[in-house]
Amino acid sequence: MKRRSQLYVPGINERMIVKSLEIPADSIIFDLEDSVPPDDKERARELIRRSLSAYSWKEKELCVRVNQLTTKDGLRDLLFVSDLPVDVILIPKAEGSLDFVHKVTGKMLEPIVETPRGLAEIEDLVRSDGVVAISYGAADLALHSQGEIKGYEGNIYVMTRVVTSARAYDVEPVDKVYFDLRNAEGFRAEAQLAKSLGFSGKQVIHPSQVEIANSVFSPSKEELEWYREVVENYEKAMREGKGAIRLRDQLVDQVHYKIAKRYLQDYSEMR
């Protein structure tokens, strides 16, 4: 599936849970971790359970972010989520193999890289049973690396490491959240950078960011026209025995052709 936008919804906030029914995010993430105070974890679980029984999110992918697996709440969350009609479990501060989580719950998984060890062991994460997507967190990476958040926002090394590791094993890379809710253009710029590196979408923390993410990670009309032109002209050139052509003063070869074909295929799947 195409995860252009994954919206976090606090599991303790019924109003926001109901509001998420109408928000056009590809994935809804019911959060049991950071947005839920320690004393409210059980109440949030019960609210999520009741909401899933009462409402329908139709074709949206439904996810739950559990608490860190090395905590009692994290273990309680796994047992709780295994009986819920949700698609994916998000694993914060993920490290090493997650095979056991998939075996215990039967759910698909999306680890979140938030520690130096998690980044170092990212290949173990993306190769784990049931992993379909992966993301990362700048704030926690900064905290555990003894750095500053600004050092990990738009960090090309981290972004490239996540993307290339994910794509090597057919796992979907999803870019991190963007904290400044007032800066829509900053969010758009970061999303465009992520797209250029190969991310499929972006995690979001406010409904206002959803439409921007969906737009950035969907081919524009101009892009589609270009990709169709590339495919049409390159296939004609191949029939004539040519391996590269000049199109709109740009060199187009087999790699450009494959990229164009992939984008057109992604577009047809989204329609």
Side-chain angles (χ1 to χ4, degrees):
M1 108 166 246
K2 192 77 170 175
R3 298 173 177 88
R4 300 168 300 171
S5 53
Q6 293 191 308
L7 174 66
Y8 279 102
V9 179
I12 199 64
N13 191 319
E14 186 170 11
R15 181 185 65 81
M16 293 185 69
I17 290 175
V18 173
K19 185 177 180 180
S20 72
L21 290 164
E22 305 302 324
I23 297 172
D26 292 330
S27 306
I28 301 296
I29 304 171
F30 303 109
D31 185 32
L32 285 170
E33 196 205 14
D34 288 344
S35 66
V36 180
D39 292 341
D40 289 331
K41 301 290 187 185
E42 192 56 43
R43 191 158 64 90
R45 293 185 191 104
E46 193 52 42
L47 178 55
I48 292 172
R49 187 195 302 277
R50 291 202 316 268
S51 298
L52 289 169
S53 297
Y55 306 112
S56 171
W57 280 261
K58 300 177 182 177
E59 73 282 358
K60 291 184 175 67
E61 179 181 68
L62 299 182
C63 316
V64 173
R65 179 170 71 171
V66 298
N67 286 277
Q68 189 173 350
L69 298 185
T70 54
T71 66
K72 290 182 179 179
D73 274 313
L75 297 178
R76 293 188 185 104
D77 290 341
L78 289 187
L79 294 175
F80 164 70
V81 175
S82 64
D83 293 328
L84 291 182
V86 299
D87 305 297
V88 180
I89 301 174
L90 274 77
I91 312 293
K93 302 171 186 64
E95 297 176 347
S97 172
L98 299 175
D99 290 351
F100 76 98
V101 181
H102 178 62
K103 290 175 182 176
V104 168
T105 65
K107 304 295 184 182
M108 297 296 103
L109 307 177
E110 181 175 339
I112 309 173
V113 176
E114 296 180 295
T115 66
R117 182 180 168 189
L119 189 60
E121 298 177 342
I122 191 169
E123 188 168 347
D124 292 330
L125 292 175
V126 294
R127 294 178 63 186
S128 298
D129 292 342
V131 170
V132 294
I134 188 168
S135 189
Y136 69 102
D140 276 292
L141 263 176
L143 171 65
H144 294 288
S145 301
Q146 300 182 31
E148 299 179 15
I149 294 176
K150 64 182 180 181
Y152 286 87
E153 291 181 319
N155 186 296
I156 296 297
Y157 167 74
V158 174
M159 297 175 77
T160 305
R161 182 77 187 274
V162 172
V163 167
T164 55
S165 300
R167 295 299 185 190
Y169 294 96
D170 295 322
V171 168
E172 191 170 16
V174 183
D175 194 36
K176 68 172 185 63
V177 301
Y178 184 82
F179 295 114
D180 189 350
L181 300 180
R182 299 167 299 177
N183 190 354
E185 286 311 305
F187 175 86
R188 183 184 298 276
E190 188 170 89
Q192 288 171 336
L193 171 62
K195 178 183 178 181
S196 74
L197 292 173
F199 283 91
S200 293
K202 200 154 177 55
Q203 294 192 339
V204 302
I205 54 176
H206 193 272
S208 64
Q209 298 174 330
V210 171
E211 291 284 6
I212 299 174
N214 287 349
S215 174
V216 169
F217 290 98
S218 298
S220 67
K221 179 181 178 181
E222 292 74 21
E223 286 176 315
L224 289 173
E225 289 176 354
W226 167 248
Y227 293 138
R228 291 191 184 104
E229 193 174 340
V230 167
V231 169
E232 179 182 340
N233 284 272
Y234 191 76
E235 289 181 348
K236 179 176 181 291
M238 284 194 294
R239 290 193 295 269
E240 297 172 352
K242 299 177 182 178
I245 59 174
R246 180 173 176 171
L247 184 63
R248 295 194 201 173
D249 289 328
Q250 293 190 44
L251 174 70
V252 172
D253 59 17
Q254 191 175 43
V255 174
H256 300 90
Y257 170 71
K258 288 180 178 179
I259 291 173
K261 289 277 285 186
R262 187 196 73 220
Y263 269 92
L264 293 175
Q265 180 180 351
D266 288 347
Y267 174 72
S268 66
E269 291 175 352
M270 286 188 288
R271 294 179 68 180

